[in-house]
Amino acid sequence: MARGTLDLAEHRSRLEAARSALTGLAEVLHEASGPELAEVMGLVDGVAAGAEAARVEVAVEAARRGECTGGGVHGWVREHAPATRQGSAGHVARLVQEVTAQDTGVQRVDPEPSSPLGVVWGAVRSARVSAPVATAVLRESTRLVPVLTPEAVPTVTSALVDLVEQWGPAMMRRLRPRLLADHGRVGVLDELHERLAASARLSAPHVESADLTEYQLWMTPEQAAALEAAIGPLSAPAPNPESGERDLRPAGQRRVEALTAVCRRSSALDAERAGADGPAGSWSAVHLTIPAGDLLAGTGAAEVLGSVATGTLLPHAGLRRAACDTALVAHVLGADGEPLALGRTVRLFTRAQRRHLWLRDRGCSYPGCTAPAAWAEAHHLTHWADGGRSDVGNAALLCPSHHTHVHRRRLAGTVTGAGVSWDLTPGSYDAALRARPPEPAGRAPDPPPGPPPVPEDPSLDLEQWWAELTEDDWAARAA
């Protein structure tokens, strides 16, 4: 029967029948076949959508009659439609107020069909969208109308209704730039991006000692596009076709490692353009303190100094990874916290050495990895902390992901005539370190009793001085 041909009594009777039909429906659903379940779902959805539209129309009628006294439309809806107390009463009330705003004391004035409100009201009455979705479209159209060409307003509003009907409000907001580009006034998209640029920001880091460091980042579309173009290829999963290893890193970890690689590469390029070498050509410089006993025994942690990350603790594994390509300035402390030595960053690979590694390894040397040399880091095959020298014969290129992987799983690598060979057995590095022959005796005269004096001449090579200290020397200093 066509809409409007039933009187009020017949409508009420059918509404009561529909409500009765829904009561106890769950108890008989087991009787339905698969296709019948789909059909019942469609019927229930149609009843629900029609009921939502009817609820708004009843509220409009009540408002026009003056029935919503006392608590206003919002209070009247909450009182007589308890289901709206869960959040939709405010949306119904706002929509009713918008629809009845042009009414006079003696005349009802419906919204102009081609206006944004008219388009949205038509969608509500035809049960295409709910009251909460309708108010979202009205909010969006309020933002867009001032910057649209006048003839595009009905088209854009109809497009918004279509979008939210299919995909919800989030998609409507995501397509705002496209709507402005296609239907906005001349230059409006440029103006929008200029305003956005003033709001883009990167927060200062929130640092918890050995926990994660938190940043908050807001970017313009242009900035976000540049960021994604830079980190997108680097953050893709990278399974290893040779070893069969899967890339089990979660997406968030891959993205932050890609961002770190981009930042490191940018720092290296700046140093390269400036002709910097050694410490000045490293990715970054980190000052840290560590007790001598902890440095010798591999216990405890190093504490970062002199930056916004002051107080952050770096475990030995992280310290070893950073020692390959970061300028670490180690402030070695005695048992009472007194400074024993200030390390200098003379251990880093030079620019010429890194270029040689680019030529030799061609890229990340980990089996199966195809990361280019430009994105790789120079890794000490025998760790610098274990006496490894910064020679090309003790170096291998590794991408940031595999650099972390090699340190975490303690893998050993060896330079051969064919390149770098890796032993992928976990702990192979420690096994190779234990099997390494001892340093030849007689390299330095026996030290005098007690800990050796700290050289005060800044021209002296403190790294060499550290390397020549024996275990007894370190034990005496830690005692």
Side-chain angles (χ1 to χ4, degrees), residues 53-80:
R55 185 163 52 191
V56 178
E57 294 207 65
V58 172
V60 168
E61 183 65 24
R64 283 173 165 170
R65 290 189 184 187
E67 299 289 338
C68 305
T69 56
V73 177
H74 191 193
W76 190 90
V77 171
R78 283 178 56 85
E79 179 182 356
H80 299 289

Side-chain angles (χ1 to χ4, degrees), residues 445-464:
D446 293 333
V454 178
E456 298 181 355
D457 184 353
S459 65
L460 294 179
D461 189 340
L462 285 178
E463 183 187 356
Q464 184 64 28

Side-chain angles (χ1 to χ4, degrees), residues 288-431:
L288 49 87
T289 63
I290 186 168
D294 288 347
L295 182 63
L296 178 66
T299 59
E303 183 176 353
V304 176
L305 298 175
S307 74
V308 293
T310 294
T312 299
L313 297 179
L314 295 182
H316 277 264
L319 194 59
R320 287 171 179 270
R321 284 195 302 272
C324 285
D325 253 1
T326 299
L328 295 184
V329 183
H331 302 254
V332 183
L333 306 179
D336 298 323
E338 74 278 11
L340 298 181
L342 173 62
R344 296 189 302 176
T345 57
V346 296
R347 57 173 177 73
L348 296 173
F349 292 102
T350 66
R351 180 173 49 170
Q353 288 175 313
R354 291 194 297 270
R355 286 178 174 173
H356 174 80
L357 293 176
W358 283 22
L359 181 64
R360 187 195 74 189
D361 294 348
R362 303 291 179 177
C364 177
S365 62
Y366 194 87
C369 185
T370 58
W375 293 103
E377 304 165 349
H379 165 71
H380 289 77
L381 294 172
T382 298
H383 301 170
W384 176 76
D386 295 325
R389 298 184 177 278
S390 297
D391 300 331
V392 292
N394 186 47
L397 290 183
L398 288 171
C399 68
S401 174
H402 284 123
H403 197 178
T404 300
H405 180 76
V406 162
H407 276 279
R408 180 178 295 138
R409 304 197 69 182
R410 309 284 291 176
L411 303 182
T414 306
V415 177
T416 69
V420 180
S421 173
W422 288 97
D423 184 344
L424 302 184
T425 306
S428 58
Y429 173 82
D430 297 303

Side-chain angles (χ1 to χ4, degrees), residues 177-393:
R178 170 53 58 189
L179 293 174
L180 290 178
D182 292 343
H183 304 287
R185 299 177 187 273
V186 176
V188 67
L189 194 58
D190 293 332
E191 294 173 4
L192 172 62
H193 280 220
E194 289 178 6
R195 291 197 300 271
L196 291 177
S199 299
R201 59 193 184 277
L202 172 63
S203 69
H206 176 69
V207 181
E208 294 291 344
S209 182
D211 207 342
L212 295 176
T213 299
E214 178 184 351
Y215 290 88
Q216 290 184 320
L217 174 64
W218 294 263
M219 306 182 78
T220 66
E222 179 182 352
Q223 293 165 339
L227 176 64
E228 292 303 322
I231 71 174
L234 292 174
S235 61
N240 193 313
E242 290 191 17
S243 65
E245 292 175 288
R246 297 170 57 197
D247 189 347
L248 299 179
R249 297 174 298 159
Q253 179 183 349
R254 296 197 307 269
R255 288 175 61 80
V256 76
E257 290 178 357
L259 178 59
T260 303
V262 169
C263 293
R264 285 176 169 175
R265 180 57 187 157
S266 176
S267 299
L269 284 175
D270 288 343
E272 186 86 4
R273 294 189 190 102
D277 215 340
S282 64
W283 302 120
S284 57
V286 177
H287 288 254
L288 49 87
T289 63
I290 186 168
D294 288 347
L295 182 63
L296 178 66
T299 59
E303 183 176 353
V304 176
L305 298 175
S307 74
V308 293
T310 294
T312 299
L313 297 179
L314 295 182
H316 277 264
L319 194 59
R320 287 171 179 270
R321 284 195 302 272
C324 285
D325 253 1
T326 299
L328 295 184
V329 183
H331 302 254
V332 183
L333 306 179
D336 298 323
E338 74 278 11
L340 298 181
L342 173 62
R344 296 189 302 176
T345 57
V346 296
R347 57 173 177 73
L348 296 173
F349 292 102
T350 66
R351 180 173 49 170
Q353 288 175 313
R354 291 194 297 270
R355 286 178 174 173
H356 174 80
L357 293 176
W358 283 22
L359 181 64
R360 187 195 74 189
D361 294 348
R362 303 291 179 177
C364 177
S365 62
Y366 194 87
C369 185
T370 58
W375 293 103
E377 304 165 349
H379 165 71
H380 289 77
L381 294 172
T382 298
H383 301 170
W384 176 76
D386 295 325
R389 298 184 177 278
S390 297
D391 300 331
V392 292

Side-chain angles (χ1 to χ4, degrees), residues 56 60 64 92-103 108-111 117-118 120-122 124-125 138:
V56 178
V60 168
R64 283 173 165 170
V92 173
R94 181 187 170 188
L95 192 55
V96 169
Q97 291 164 354
E98 293 282 353
V99 170
T100 61
Q102 301 301 318
D103 290 353
R108 301 181 177 190
V109 181
D110 288 330
L117 178 58
V120 172
W121 178 231
V124 171
R125 298 187 72 187
L138 287 176

